[in-house]
Amino acid sequence: MIIKSLKLQNFRNFGKKSFDFSEGSTLIFGPNAVGKTNILEAITLLSTGKSFRAGVEAEMHREGENVTRVTGQTEEPELEVVLVSEAPNPAFGEPRQERQRGGKRVFINGVAKRVFTFAGTLKTVMFGPWDVGMVTESPSVRRRFLDSVLGQVDREYRRSLLSYEKGTRQRNRVLERIREGIATRSQLLYWDHLVIREGNYLSSARERFIDFVNSTTFPGEELSIEYDRSAISEGRLEQYKEEEILAATTLVGPHRDDINFQFSINTRSDSNFQNKSLAKYGSRGEQRMAVLWLKLAELDFIEKESGQRPVLLLDDIFSELDPQHHELILETVGKQQTILTTAEPRKFKKNFDAKVKIIEL
Ligand SMILES: Nc1ncnc2c1ncn2[C@@H]1O[C@H](COP(=O)(O)OP(=O)(O)O)[C@@H](O)[C@H]1O
Ligand SMILES: [Mg+2]
């Protein structure tokens, strides 16, 4: 599925603006702060129902406005996200209690849907400069990535994740009440079963994706990811029960998972390779490369699982990657609809053929 056009109303720095995209590649260029990343954010909002960068959704309202509309025309259907806040715009005015209310509504062909149903209709893979943080930042960043990939291809994963999150919250409450002496251990049983069942679904889906990524190669590099799984089972819950009651927290399960990036370095000249942690030993360039590897694998994984090739969104990545990887990007660009942004088009314009549509901001 491709996105043919995008209509923005009061989204970020845009008042009213429409864009048409090529079914091949579209290059958006313009100076800094003109709204290039905002356009990609709007497309991912249509894809996932969420912003990848707004801490509070109201941030997306154009300053001073409180009704924001993002509409995307795919071949079929039309997707729309409408954000409404009670005035004043809390992102700029006084922080107020209402900011969490107001709300977000999503529509497919004009029919209101739950975000849960809406998400994943249009599939996208986004790659931007901030993604290098995936290697070095906290585990929650990597878990969020896993959830976003699997959530796009598997509705059951989305359901299971919601149920698991709710289940652990409830279970934590029971743990707390046991600690306070107002609940009995048998009251944990129901929640134990639930978090074990959902937790195992989540971790086996995560494992499937990680195995897939490891089955793909990256030119000139030995990269792998290791699944640092926090297994959940009756035995494990039993083992941690006392600690859990003391902490009033569920201590094992996919909410404690992590993935570690590994690369192999030639330790001596006798081709004695060793797997090393990319977060600890890799240069920033090597870390970026690994994320590129992961994103390319993500494209193929989503296609394999859903039968639908995602739209590739590349935000300002040419300034970040080494010239030899530009080549690889350009190869990939032709394999699906791709929307790229850059502040310096001359750098690689010559590499593109005439088929690229250019939007100048
Ligand atoms: N809610 C908002 N209302 C008005 N302007 C905004 C809002 N959020 C961000 N902006 C503006 O959008 C611009 C940044 O857009 P961005 O897409 O990051 O630019 P770039 O073209 O560099 O990618 C900044 O000038 C910022 O002030
Ligand atoms: Mg930008």
Side-chain angles (χ1 to χ4, degrees):
M1 185 182 292
I2 63 159
I3 179 160
K4 289 160 75 172
S5 64
L6 178 72
K7 223 162 60 186
L8 304 177
Q9 281 175 53
N10 297 331
F11 181 83
R12 298 268 185 198
N13 62 318
F14 297 103
K16 216 168 184 182
K17 187 96 182 157
S18 299
F19 303 97
D20 292 321
F21 304 111
S22 158
E23 55 185 86
S25 306
T26 305
L27 176 67
I28 300 171
F29 86 89
N32 275 333
V34 81
K36 300 181 296 296
T37 304
N38 293 343
I39 296 172
L40 300 189
E41 181 188 23
I43 297 172
T44 56
L45 181 67
L46 292 175
S47 166
T48 62
K50 286 186 291 206
S51 163
F52 70 89
R53 66 169 171 177
V56 178
E57 291 194 319
E59 275 171 35
M60 292 182 280
H61 289 304
R62 190 180 192 209
E63 185 167 4
E65 302 287 342
N66 44 44
V67 180
T68 294
R69 196 178 288 270
V70 175
T71 316
Q73 190 64 53
T74 67
E75 296 118 308
E76 170 62 24
E78 181 192 81
L79 300 169
E80 184 164 70
V81 176
V82 181
L83 300 165
V84 179
S85 285
E86 283 150 57
N89 180 344
F92 295 95
E94 286 289 298
R96 288 170 48 162
Q97 211 46 39
E98 291 101 280
R99 77 158 112 190
Q100 301 298 347
R101 281 204 269 126
K104 171 172 68 184
R105 306 197 55 198
V106 298
F107 302 87
I108 300 180
N109 282 337
V111 179
K113 301 281 176 189
R114 292 165 66 202
V115 174
F116 176 77
T117 314
F118 177 85
T121 308
L122 173 69
K123 295 176 173 45
T124 53
V125 170
M126 173 89 150
F127 182 33
W130 58 86
D131 280 318
V132 62
M134 181 108 67
V135 179
T136 49
E137 278 169 20
S138 67
S140 64
V141 173
R142 290 179 287 279
R143 285 193 296 266
R144 209 176 316 133
F145 168 73
L146 293 172
D147 291 339
S148 78
V149 179
L150 291 155
Q152 280 206 65
V153 295
D154 182 1
R155 194 191 156 95
E156 185 57 21
Y157 188 93
R158 300 203 290 276
R159 191 207 53 73
S160 188
L161 185 62
L162 287 175
S163 167
Y164 179 80
E165 285 171 346
K166 200 170 140 217
T168 44
R169 275 196 304 272
Q170 299 286 349
R171 187 171 182 274
N172 293 346
R173 222 161 286 154
V174 178
L175 287 166
E176 194 180 356
R177 293 174 53 213
I178 295 173
R179 187 177 65 185
E180 290 168 2
I182 50 178
T184 61
R185 285 166 193 243
S186 63
Q187 285 171 274
L188 275 177
L189 267 175
Y190 173 81
W191 299 113
D192 285 0
H193 286 304
L194 185 140
V195 296
I196 291 169
R197 184 178 68 240
E198 306 293 10
N200 281 317
Y201 186 83
L202 297 175
S203 52
S204 61
R206 288 176 180 183
E207 184 168 38
R208 200 168 71 235
F209 173 63
I210 291 161
D211 287 347
F212 180 85
V213 176
N214 283 328
S215 74
T216 69
T217 56
F218 191 83
E221 302 294 328
E222 286 286 330
L223 296 164
S224 60
I225 42 182
E226 180 192 80
Y227 186 12
D228 180 6
R229 177 205 307 241
S230 179
I232 189 163
S233 62
E234 271 177 46
R236 289 261 292 172
L237 288 181
E238 199 46 54
Q239 186 188 340
Y240 283 89
K241 195 131 293 175
E242 300 311 317
E243 259 182 81
E244 287 195 324
I245 291 168
L246 277 175
T249 301
T250 302
L251 294 173
V252 296
H255 65 296
R256 295 285 173 108
D257 276 354
D258 198 2
I259 55 176
N260 303 310
F261 289 81
Q262 311 274 328
F263 73 135
S264 83
I265 22 185
N266 193 342
T267 49
R268 274 180 233 107
S269 48
D270 58 359
S271 56
N272 181 7
F273 283 95
Q274 243 184 23
N275 267 347
K276 289 273 193 191
S277 153
L278 191 64
K280 291 199 186 107
Y281 295 91
S283 69
R284 210 164 157 82
E286 285 163 331
Q287 293 172 351
R288 248 189 320 260
M289 218 169 47
V291 179
L292 174 61
W293 168 64
L294 188 67
K295 295 284 170 173
L296 296 177
E298 182 188 353
L299 280 169
D300 290 338
F301 180 78
I302 293 176
E303 183 179 21
K304 180 174 94 64
E305 295 280 309
S306 71
Q308 194 183 316
R309 186 82 181 167
V311 179
L312 178 59
L313 306 170
L314 297 173
D315 193 36
D316 203 21
I317 48 124
F318 286 89
S319 52
E320 288 271 318
L321 287 168
D322 311 328
Q324 75 260 35
H325 295 122
H326 289 189
E327 214 45 50
L328 187 67
I329 295 271
L330 291 169
E331 249 171 59
T332 308
V333 158
K335 293 185 185 161
Q336 66 283 305
Q337 182 183 35
T338 304
I339 301 171
L340 314 92
T341 75
T342 184
E344 29 182 353
R346 243 170 305 147
K347 236 183 169 177
F348 59 98
K349 222 167 162 183
K350 58 175 188 296
N351 291 313
F352 274 116
D353 51 36
K355 275 190 302 196
V356 174
K357 176 179 170 122
I358 305 227
I359 295 177
E360 191 172 349
L361 289 178

